[in-house]
Amino acid sequence: MSFQPPKGTDDIIAPESQAWRKTLRLWDDWSERYGYPLVNLPIFEATELFERGVGETSEVVIKQMYTFADQGGRSVSLRPEGTASVVRAYLNSGHQGVWKGAYSGPFFRYERPQAGRRRQFWQVGVEYIATPSPLADVEVIELGYRFITATELPDVALLINSIGDPVCRPRYVAALEEYLREHESDLSAESVSLIDRNPLRVLDSKVDGPKLTEAPRTLDYLCEECAQHFASVKEGLESLGVPYKEDSSLVRGLDYYTRTAFEYVATGLDAAQNAVGGGGRYDGLAEAIGGRPTPGVGFALGIDRIMLALGEPQRPHLDAYLVSETGPEDALRVASALRDEGIRVDFDVDGRSVKAQFRTASRLQVPVVLVWKGEGQPVDVQTEGERAMLPLREVSTWFSSR
Ligand code: HAM
């Protein structure tokens, strides 16, 4: 019998995992630079949190949750996204005033699997809670943009829109509904069924969205406050040199958004999964889950998609392989000394021949082979086109001078 990973999930192992590790380290670095401490939250939550937080008309809640009754008979769901949990944690913490958090981990949606669309996928994200300031939107959007740029992902576009708030959105939704009713015969059955429940979702439809270029635009219906907020966000992005495009069809798939909505799109990927990240403001979410009114803004990035867009990993996971001519016990000790100096090194514990150890080194594609010849003897440092005989204590200096 042989088991395969469940449909839509992946075993991420070396060498691919090394590129993941590099990207996740970069994320820790960038999110910390912007002042977002780590939040580690449950992988499953009460189903109702997502129903009320993410929204009962969102596709994620209707079709994509992994929901089950636990042994105590409670309905729980594997987290399909992070924002509802982060806001719940903020409310539970009793903290007053602004609060920031960064997360990184697996999320789950029952999707039709394809490249870049997985049932278990990895998101990194931040939430900036308890401030209505448009500068928070700007900071958050900038962080996502700078991080993506730092991963060296080519051709990323930032799309932004404002979808209004409870003051101005009803007027927009009414106009959109009327337009969609007039054009019902051009729409798929699924979109028609959404007109009453959540007409904004129709703009998001892969099938019908592109047909709706003449539909009313949210930006034409914004109230004074929302228009001002959006103008400040754009001004802030311009002052930081973050390039963006306005996209009036961008409405996002989750129900909690108010005002700012944005997406990072990798133009080199297939349109079905080229959104490498997205986010926005969610000023009504805290109340929707039973908390006090608390504004917030954030984003999440899909690491699986970023890795897909980055292509094959370039960097080996080791700096060197240690070949021992005097057996594995010596290699254990020498490797320990090198690791203590920060060198990423591995060796053979099975006492295989020197020839076999060299074969392993070449399979691992290490840039340097260190040959241990015995106590009191210099280490033979071999790289492509270069060779040096160095005392063990000088090996780490040699690495740092490269
Ligand atoms: P989202 O747009 O649903 O937003 O997901 C964010 C990103 O996660 C997507 O742009 C995509 O890159 C990745 N992603 C989503 N589903 C999958 C999947 N099935 N397979 C691979 N990657 C996927 C949110 O989740 C919001 N919580 C973001 C947010 C934070 N808004 C405010 N704060």
Side-chain angles (χ1 to χ4, degrees):
M1 185 165 68
S2 88
F3 290 106
Q4 297 300 316
K7 199 170 167 191
T9 70
D10 302 292
D11 297 329
I12 295 158
I13 59 175
E16 194 192 349
S17 56
Q18 188 53 20
W20 275 68
R21 194 178 239 179
K22 184 177 164 206
T23 302
L24 293 174
R25 279 191 181 140
L26 200 63
W27 169 252
D28 285 344
D29 176 28
W30 278 88
S31 54
E32 211 164 27
R33 257 195 235 190
Y34 280 68
Y36 291 82
L38 180 68
V39 289
N40 274 341
L41 301 178
I43 299 249
F44 61 91
E45 296 265 10
T47 301
E48 206 183 338
L49 173 72
F50 301 119
E51 288 171 348
R52 290 171 52 167
V54 179
E56 275 171 311
T57 60
S58 69
E59 184 134 312
V60 167
V61 166
I62 299 172
K63 295 191 188 155
Q64 299 181 339
M65 288 218 290
Y66 280 89
T67 296
F68 54 97
D70 71 7
Q71 299 205 24
R74 302 169 201 87
S75 178
V76 292
S77 298
L78 300 185
R79 60 183 189 184
E81 64 100 49
T83 312
S85 304
V86 176
V87 173
R88 178 198 57 64
Y90 167 79
L91 293 168
N92 292 144
S93 73
H95 188 95
Q96 303 286 333
V98 292
W99 191 90
K100 290 170 134 183
Y103 49 91
S104 170
F107 292 81
F108 306 85
R109 295 183 192 175
Y110 195 80
E111 302 243 30
R112 193 190 296 268
Q114 52 179 288
R117 191 171 291 279
R118 317 301 296 150
R119 290 183 174 170
Q120 177 173 329
F121 56 98
W122 197 284
Q123 279 189 350
V124 299
V126 294
E127 309 298 345
Y128 197 163
I129 296 179
T131 167
S133 168
L135 295 188
D137 307 37
V138 175
E139 180 189 282
V140 157
I141 297 172
E142 187 206 10
L143 165 58
Y145 183 76
R146 300 273 180 241
F147 166 71
I148 295 174
T149 308
T151 65
E152 296 176 16
L153 197 74
D155 308 324
V156 175
L158 163 63
L159 308 178
I160 64 170
N161 192 21
S162 173
I163 56 171
D165 68 4
V167 175
C168 53
R169 198 175 319 152
R171 214 161 61 81
Y172 171 67
V173 170
L176 179 63
E177 237 179 277
E178 194 182 321
Y179 178 90
L180 295 173
R181 283 273 167 245
E182 280 164 18
H183 295 80
E184 224 180 86
S185 55
D186 301 335
L187 303 176
S188 64
E190 181 164 2
S191 291
V192 172
S193 77
L194 278 170
I195 299 178
D196 285 333
R197 278 186 293 137
N198 193 342
L200 285 184
R201 271 303 72 68
V202 183
L203 294 179
D204 209 27
S205 149
K206 293 269 177 287
V207 189
D208 297 315
K211 298 178 198 158
L212 299 170
T213 49
E214 302 292 312
R217 296 159 13 110
T218 51
L219 295 180
D220 297 329
Y221 289 79
L222 296 184
C223 59
E224 187 52 37
E225 285 75 11
C226 286
Q228 186 52 51
H229 188 96
F230 192 48
S232 303
V233 172
K234 289 192 291 185
E235 209 175 290
L237 291 173
E238 280 154 30
S239 77
L240 297 174
V242 176
Y244 66 83
K245 271 195 229 136
E246 260 182 59
D247 179 352
S248 62
S249 68
L250 180 70
V251 290
R252 309 272 303 126
L254 313 169
D255 289 353
Y256 49 60
Y257 290 112
T258 50
R259 296 193 168 171
T260 316
F262 59 94
E263 259 173 23
Y264 306 98
V265 174
T267 43
L269 284 183
D270 243 29
Q273 63 277 348
N274 67 0
V276 291
R281 189 160 267 291
Y282 44 83
D283 294 346
L285 171 57
E287 279 171 281
I289 61 171
R292 57 187 185 276
T294 312
V297 59
F299 67 74
L301 307 175
I303 295 297
D304 304 71
R305 289 189 190 176
I306 291 178
M307 300 322 298
L308 193 67
L310 281 175
E312 289 303 307
Q314 303 298 326
R315 187 170 172 262
H317 72 286
L318 291 170
D319 296 318
Y321 193 78
L322 177 66
V323 167
S324 173
E325 291 184 356
T326 59
E329 286 79 10
D330 281 354
L332 176 72
R333 218 173 19 78
V334 174
S336 168
L338 293 166
R339 289 164 174 166
D340 202 36
E341 297 287 337
I343 298 167
R344 302 174 307 160
V345 63
D346 211 353
F347 69 98
D348 164 56
V349 289
D350 292 317
R352 289 153 69 238
S353 70
V354 168
K355 204 166 153 199
Q357 293 177 62
F358 268 102
R359 271 204 302 274
T360 307
S362 96
R363 178 175 57 76
L364 292 170
Q365 299 185 323
V366 286
V368 178
V369 179
L370 302 171
V371 186
W372 177 252
K373 295 180 164 302
E375 207 57 60
Q377 308 256 7
V379 179
D380 182 358
V381 180
Q382 302 184 11
T383 65
E384 208 168 319
E386 204 186 329
R387 195 158 179 188
M389 302 297 281
L390 299 173
L392 179 59
R393 62 177 184 285
E394 282 175 26
V395 171
S396 70
T397 322
W398 180 87
F399 270 99
S400 43
S401 68
R402 269 159 65 82

